[in-house]
Amino acid sequence: MATLNILRYPDARLHKPAVPVTVFDDHLKQLARDLAETMYAAPGVGLAATQVDEHKQLIVVDVSERRDSLVTLVNPRIVESFGESDIEEGCLSVPGIFEVVPRAERVRVRAYDANGTIFTLEAQGLLAVCIQHEMDHLEGKVFVEYLSQLKQTRIRAKLAKQLRKSA
Ligand code: NI
């Protein structure tokens, strides 16, 4: 297993759409494990393959306190969504920024696991928000893009300042 490098907004590679997975081989399983390890090490509650520069439709999520409820979703599709959420979200690619953006409160998601078995997941609250956030990454969308241009400019300036400080 290995922890992978997480791309930081506004890296252009975060905007590359991911392609559906067609082969459920050892390489995919390894990537799913590495993605989970990277998420736990960060630490974060979700990570999309896009964020580690692997442009496949694969996300991992664990919103549990005990960090023992890993969900791996391959080629996820939202089949139904309900309500509106007001949960603040953050992103490992946009460190230190937390905002509320438009999300459904509950979703029904169809996906494959890393072995290629299809399943349906009902999610609500933080788990639902997290899945929607990670699925956006697969389309090349970062959550701050829901915000006003002015806010996005401020966020980019703040992140550039953070990077200069850590350099
Ligand atoms: Ni994110």
Side-chain angles (χ1 to χ4, degrees), residues 46-48 51 89-94 133-134 137 141-143:
L47 193 62
Q51 291 175 275
E89 56 196 85
C91 180
L92 293 174
S93 294
V94 196
H133 174 117
E134 302 311 331
H137 276 302
K141 186 162 185 174
V142 179
F143 82 116

Side-chain angles (χ1 to χ4, degrees), residues 14-88:
L14 287 169
H15 302 305
K16 193 171 163 181
V19 296
V21 171
T22 52
V23 182
F24 293 82
D25 58 4
D26 288 345
H27 178 77
L28 179 77
K29 290 180 188 98
Q30 186 63 52
L31 178 59
R33 283 194 294 268
D34 290 344
L35 202 57
E37 194 185 343
T38 305
M39 173 186 74
Y40 287 124
V45 295
L47 193 62
T50 306
Q51 291 175 275
V52 298
D53 202 21
E54 289 275 354
H55 302 278
K56 294 185 175 117
Q57 293 183 5
L58 164 67
I59 65 177
V60 293
V61 174
D62 187 347
V63 300
S64 69
E65 296 239 329
R66 296 170 62 178
R67 317 295 278 150
D68 59 359
S69 304
L70 177 66
V71 185
T72 301
L73 300 155
V74 180
N75 302 346
R77 300 285 180 271
I78 291 178
V79 291
E80 265 190 289
S81 55
F82 314 88
E84 267 175 53
S85 170
D86 56 0
I87 295 176
E88 203 168 63

Side-chain angles (χ1 to χ4, degrees), residues 3 5 146-147:
T3 56
N5 183 45
Y146 287 100
L147 307 172

